[in-house]
Structures are given as structure tokens and as C-alpha cells.
Amino acid sequence: MDLKSPIVSVEWLNENLNAKNLIVLDGTINKTFNTSQKQIKNARFFDIKKKFSNTDDPFPSAFPSEEQFQKEARALGINKNSAIVVYDDKGIYSSARVWWLFKAFGFENVAVLNGGFLAWQKMEFPAEPMKAYSGNIGDFEAHLQPGFMQFFEDVKEASKHKTHTIIDARSAGRFKSLEPEPREGLRMGNIPNSVNLPFTDLLEDGKLKQKEALEHAFFKLLNKKDSRVIFSCGSGITACVLALGADISGYTNLAVYDGSWTEWGSLVEE
């Protein structure tokens, strides 16, 4: 099975749930394994925080190494020929981060479930208690793609020389320093020469808006489909929702700032 779009509906997933090479991943962030919680039937828990992040990094959900990502993906039984659909329990939130991680490691046959587990439950499609994956080890191969992730020095240069459009996915209140940061002790502010597009502006009832609405949101900030873009947010999670919307809208030169405002606000004084 080849996924034709970076996003699929719950109806499509329900119809194809038994496809031979399909793997469904629960990419809900800040979730721990607990059999009292529900999951889509036969889903496998993609533990962003503990398995698919560099836990030695001082900042949250940091980009893992090629070796780590390959090892943990194989442990979930993911193969080179797998078709992956990832969801989370908020609609579209951390699932976009999982989608972007796979793309950053050279894997394209991956899509986000539009509306996530909320939409799945609303349709009363098959769910079950969480269970640990116990099948075969996969043969997935990670091949790091340059440019998909940007880091502090990259963004520092981009901000100073205006080589990219830096788009911040946080709320307008946080971007304009009108609301405090949720992370204790983190200063308010924004990256110099950045602009704001709250990731929630791309969503309606937990689902991505129609393509025309997405295109309109980005057209106000980007005048070319090959514009060089870096997406930022609080900690590199919801920036990927913007990356997903931009990808669907046909933009081709996209990157995510891994450390995002948590790193920038900690390392750069006002």
C-alpha cells in the first residue's frame, strides 16, 4: 500500500485497517503505557518522549540520532515497505511530529490521521485497551535527510540574515508576550524577524481545514511555493502541524526548529 496523501480520514483507515503492510502508531505525547487507556485496534505506541527523543538533551523532545530512531522503529516492527498512519488523542497535535520525524529520516510512506483518536471514537470504529507490541523486529532503515531539522546555530543565522521565513506556531498571545509561557521559568518573547501563524488556525474541530483554507493561511506569509521556511513553536511539536499544512499546500522547502522557543528563550537574552 502506498499512501497518496500526508493525511487520511478515519473512514479510510477503518476500511484499510487490515491491509497487510499497514502499521498504525499512537503518537500521543505525554502518554505512558497503561492498559486502562484505549487505542485504535492493533495500534503500536510511539513513545516520543522516552524512545524517540534524545533524552540526554536539556530541552524536551529533542531530535534523536539516526541510530536511535532506526533501532526503536524496528522494535515496533516497522519495515522498509510499511505504510504508516499515525494519530494522537488531541485531534492533530503530536502526530504531526511523528510524521515529520519519519520524513526527516527518509521515509515517505507515512500519513497523519485527520481528527485523530477523537474522530475515530466519534465514529465508533474498533478500539481496544492499550497493549505492548510483541511481534517481529522490523527491517526499517533510517537515512537522515539534511535540512529537515534546524538547530540553534542554523536559526540564529536565519534570523540575523533573514535567509528564511521563520513562522512561529504558538498562540498570538504567547508570540506577542501577552501570555506567559507554560514552561516554568521560560521568558516570554519571540525569535527576531519571525512571524506568527498559530497552529490552531489550521484546524477546525481537531481536523485540518480544507486545502484552500490552508493555502490561504500560508499565502499571506509566503509568496513562493519554494520559499525557505523554518517552523518554530514551544518545543518542536506543533511546528510540525504547520509543516503538515504547508506540505499539503504545496510548499517544498520546509524545516522545523527542533529546540524552538524553549531553547531560544533559554539561550538568548532579551
Side-chain angles (χ1 to χ4, degrees), residues 169-207:
R170 293 177 300 160
S171 68
R174 289 169 67 188
F175 182 79
K176 296 175 181 177
S177 299
L178 301 175
E179 300 171 2
E181 287 296 310
R183 183 171 296 278
E184 186 176 352
L186 181 61
R187 72 174 178 89
M188 295 185 289
N190 58 62
I191 299 170
N193 296 316
S194 63
V195 295
N196 185 217
L197 176 58
F199 81 95
T200 51
D201 285 3
L202 304 188
L203 304 175
E204 190 170 1
D205 295 329
K207 296 181 180 181

Side-chain angles (χ1 to χ4, degrees), residues 42-55:
N42 295 326
R44 305 171 193 183
F45 180 43
F46 186 100
D47 191 340
I48 295 175
K49 288 287 189 181
K50 295 180 180 178
K51 300 291 187 181
F52 291 92
S53 294
N54 176 9
T55 56

Side-chain angles (χ1 to χ4, degrees), residues 97 100 147-150 229-231 236 239-240 243 254-258:
R97 171 73 178 194
W100 192 253
F148 271 72
M149 302 300 297
Q150 298 286 298
V229 187
I230 298 174
F231 296 113
C240 299
L254 311 175
V256 168
Y257 175 20
D258 192 49

Side-chain angles (χ1 to χ4, degrees), residues 133-148:
Y133 174 71
S134 59
N136 295 329
I137 300 296
D139 64 5
F140 176 85
E141 292 182 359
H143 301 286
L144 181 62
Q145 304 298 298
F148 271 72

Side-chain angles (χ1 to χ4, degrees), residues 87-126:
Y87 72 92
D88 63 59
D89 66 3
K90 288 180 169 57
I92 294 182
Y93 187 76
S94 54
S95 53
R97 171 73 178 194
V98 181
W99 168 80
W100 192 253
L101 285 174
F102 274 102
K103 288 175 66 69
F105 285 109
F107 188 84
E108 292 288 341
N109 204 22
V110 56
V112 170
L113 182 64
N114 203 10
F117 195 51
L118 295 175
W120 185 265
Q121 287 184 304
K122 189 175 181 179
M123 296 297 293
E124 299 183 353
F125 289 144

Side-chain angles (χ1 to χ4, degrees), residues 1 11-24 40-44 83 85 120 126 128:
M1 174 188 293
E11 291 84 0
W12 180 93
L13 180 60
N14 183 55
E15 290 174 5
N16 292 277
L17 199 55
N18 296 318
K20 188 174 181 180
N21 68 327
L22 179 72
I23 291 178
V24 179
I40 291 176
K41 184 180 178 182
N42 295 326
R44 305 171 193 183
V85 173
W120 185 265
E128 63 186 6

